[in-house]
Amino acid sequence: MDSDTNFKQLRVAVIGGGLGGLSAAIALRRSGHLVEIYERRNFNVEVGAAVSCAANGTQWLREWEVDIPSMKPVVLMKLVMHDWETGEILNQYDLENYEEQWGNVYNMFHRQDMHAGLLRAATSPDGLGTPATVVVDHVCESVDYEKGTVTFQNGRTTIADLIIGSDGIRSVVRREIGIIPSVKSAPQTCYRCNVRRTDVERLGLQPYSLEPAIHYWGGMPQNESSTTRSQFYKVVMSPCSDYDIVSFYCFMPTEMTNHTKEGFSFIEVPVSDITKGCYDSLDDDCLALIKNSIDRMPWRLYKHEPYPHWQKGKVCILGDAAHPMMPHQSQGACQAIEDAAALGIIFSSTYDFTNNIAQGLALYERIRKPRGTRVQEASWRATLNINERIGFTSLTAHDTALAALSGKLTINEMNAYRMHDHIHEEVSKLACL
Ligand SMILES: Cc1cc2nc3c(=O)[nH]c(=O)nc-3n(C[C@H](O)[C@H](O)[C@H](O)COP(=O)(O)OP(=O)(O)OC[C@H]3O[C@@H](n4cnc5c(N)ncnc54)[C@H](O)[C@@H]3O)c2cc1C
């Protein structure tokens, strides 16, 4: 299968221009295909907070020659745990050796910066392949997975050899390939907000918020006698956007919110929506930052059971459409990037799947579903128990074996994974049939 003689350029329709859809467009244009991205809205309304891009995501940005500095990264160097009430530092992990160990840095991006950088890489005349085109204000209404047609709410249609459903957590494409999600409300909800660096400095707020570190408060299970604060109270803070923004994720038990809409909404909430309940007793310095925040948006969390399949006919799903996960492994964007990378490799001239889309998509599902689902399930376990979160420090062989026995997701598993080799092995098995 190591020949490019049968390679065929595909017409690819990407439905949804979020981080996953744009990554797929980059990977597939670089593999020689003609890509059109259909997005339901205009990108100007984008908001967001910090998005983690660990080594397993950064690896692909580098392979795709994305201009990472233009995405204003903050390279993570430290992980700091604070006491909820006093702010006292309970624990600190040094990530100074992270790049040396894993070959790539751990980037924190502001979602808008990451989105803008990926959009440039997908559509720029520079770079390998034909630039992807973007069609905004097109809401996908239905898809015919056999014919390869897409119909939009405005009555327009398009036809493609390959359709990628990267339309997020409430995916229409997913429904069109016969998946009915089994969803339940999570016991924890979240508010995202940002603090401007200028406000941190002007108001004399905590300067440590501008260090290359993620800071945590809470999240630990309380002992049984505690009736006050559950593990669902947690604050995660990190700088992003060249340190111009300090991003907050403020978690609390679901019964503390009235917001029910899943996904990323644009309803700005008053600060009091966040600072009620046990936030009364939060470390004063941290609370002062939250009280001076902007872009305060609810992010209601739901648990999706893994889906039975990720592809049908000419259609596949990726990113949040395929494996919506809780945020506690910080892998949502990285897993979407990995999905995109797999499609780019499978439909490259190295293999022969451009002449057999269904077989290529079956391989995509075989490569990506077990790993994506494993991270999805681990993100749920980490909601209930923070100790299930991927460790940041290197694990010894003994630790790795123990973690593997207990089923815990390990950093080795995430960062030492070699997708090119994995695909090659699977294709070799197919060739033997
Ligand atoms: C506005 C927004 C803000 C976010 N903020 C954060 C954040 O602060 N922190 C964080 O960790 N994660 C955030 N995320 C999620 C994070 O980006 C994703 O979990 C991850 O990157 C996977 O990306 P995705 O492309 O699969 O999904 P998404 O990033 O959700 O992208 C899906 C895209 O599909 C489009 N779409 C949906 N339905 C249709 C349709 N029917 N037709 C056409 N287009 C459609 C959406 O408008 C969106 O652009 C945010 C997502 C969005 C959309």
Side-chain angles (χ1 to χ4, degrees), residues 3-19:
S3 133
D4 60 359
T5 47
N6 294 321
F7 178 78
K8 191 175 102 187
Q9 185 176 56
L10 302 177
R11 189 164 171 202
V12 183
V14 173
I15 310 301
L19 303 182

Side-chain angles (χ1 to χ4, degrees), residues 173-195:
V173 180
R174 181 174 65 207
R175 180 195 70 203
E176 295 292 278
I177 60 167
I179 296 168
I180 302 164
S182 162
V183 186
K184 71 173 187 194
S185 173
Q188 185 184 43
T189 198
C190 182
Y191 290 89
R192 302 169 295 149
C193 61
N194 296 315
V195 184

Side-chain angles (χ1 to χ4, degrees), residues 77-130:
M77 289 293 164
K78 235 192 313 178
L79 186 68
V80 187
M81 312 275 189
H82 296 260
D83 179 78
W84 180 270
E85 270 123 22
T86 63
E88 181 196 337
I89 294 178
L90 301 175
N91 231 325
Q92 262 194 88
Y93 297 103
D94 193 351
L95 303 180
E96 296 271 334
N97 296 330
Y98 185 91
E99 183 178 11
E100 195 185 312
Q101 230 160 0
W102 305 115
N104 287 287
V105 296
Y106 192 126
N107 285 305
M108 297 301 294
F109 293 114
H110 187 283
R111 190 179 182 280
Q112 282 176 338
D113 297 331
M114 190 176 185
H115 190 270
L118 293 176
L119 184 59
R120 269 192 303 276
T123 57
S124 163
D126 302 329
L128 283 183
T130 307

Side-chain angles (χ1 to χ4, degrees), residues 238-391:
S238 62
C240 55
S241 204
D242 271 347
Y243 299 92
D244 282 341
I245 299 283
V246 181
S247 157
F248 275 89
Y249 289 95
C250 302
F251 296 92
M252 62 187 69
T254 297
E255 57 270 22
M256 300 301 294
T257 183
N258 298 322
H259 301 280
T260 54
K261 204 170 165 200
E262 188 182 26
F264 300 93
S265 52
F266 309 107
I267 321 152
E268 179 127 34
V269 301
V271 75
S272 56
D273 275 22
I274 304 178
T275 57
K276 59 194 174 189
C278 288
Y279 277 75
D280 281 351
S281 60
L282 178 64
D283 164 21
D284 287 342
D285 288 338
C286 183
L287 196 58
L289 284 160
I290 295 171
K291 284 186 174 164
N292 285 284
S293 62
I294 55 167
D295 302 336
R296 287 182 300 270
M297 307 282 171
W299 182 11
R300 180 70 189 264
L301 301 169
Y302 286 82
K303 181 183 187 217
H304 286 238
E305 293 302 331
Y307 305 135
H309 56 274
W310 285 15
Q311 48 82 33
K312 199 166 193 179
K314 298 181 174 184
V315 178
C316 70
I317 49 175
L318 66 66
D320 283 2
H323 42 69
M325 57 183 73
M326 298 291 283
H328 301 296
Q329 300 287 4
S330 307
Q331 275 285 326
C334 288
Q335 289 306 302
I337 291 173
E338 286 195 6
D339 295 339
L343 288 169
I345 298 168
I346 291 168
F347 291 106
S348 71
S349 62
T350 306
Y351 301 111
D352 205 11
F353 295 107
T354 54
N355 289 295
N356 192 338
I357 305 284
Q359 200 184 30
L361 290 182
L363 176 62
Y364 162 72
E365 181 176 297
R366 216 162 44 250
I367 294 287
R368 287 296 308 143
K369 191 170 175 311
R371 184 167 158 93
T373 304
R374 177 152 163 74
V375 180
Q376 181 186 22
E377 291 180 330
S379 74
W380 174 252
R381 292 199 303 276
T383 308
L384 306 176
N385 180 356
I386 199 172
N387 295 319
E388 287 284 339
R389 197 193 192 289
I390 312 168

Side-chain angles (χ1 to χ4, degrees), residues 18-20 22-24 26-27 30 51-74 103-111 113-119 121-122 333-338 340-341 420:
L19 303 182
L22 294 177
S23 299
I26 297 168
R30 291 176 64 84
V51 171
S52 286
C53 190
N56 64 316
T58 300
Q59 171 197 349
W60 297 106
L61 302 184
R62 288 181 62 194
E63 181 160 327
W64 298 334
E65 299 177 293
V66 174
D67 180 3
I68 297 176
S70 77
M71 303 190 326
K72 305 182 191 168
V74 168
N104 287 287
V105 296
Y106 192 126
N107 285 305
M108 297 301 294
F109 293 114
H110 187 283
R111 190 179 182 280
D113 297 331
M114 190 176 185
H115 190 270
L118 293 176
L119 184 59
C334 288
Q335 289 306 302
I337 291 173
E338 286 195 6
H420 281 286

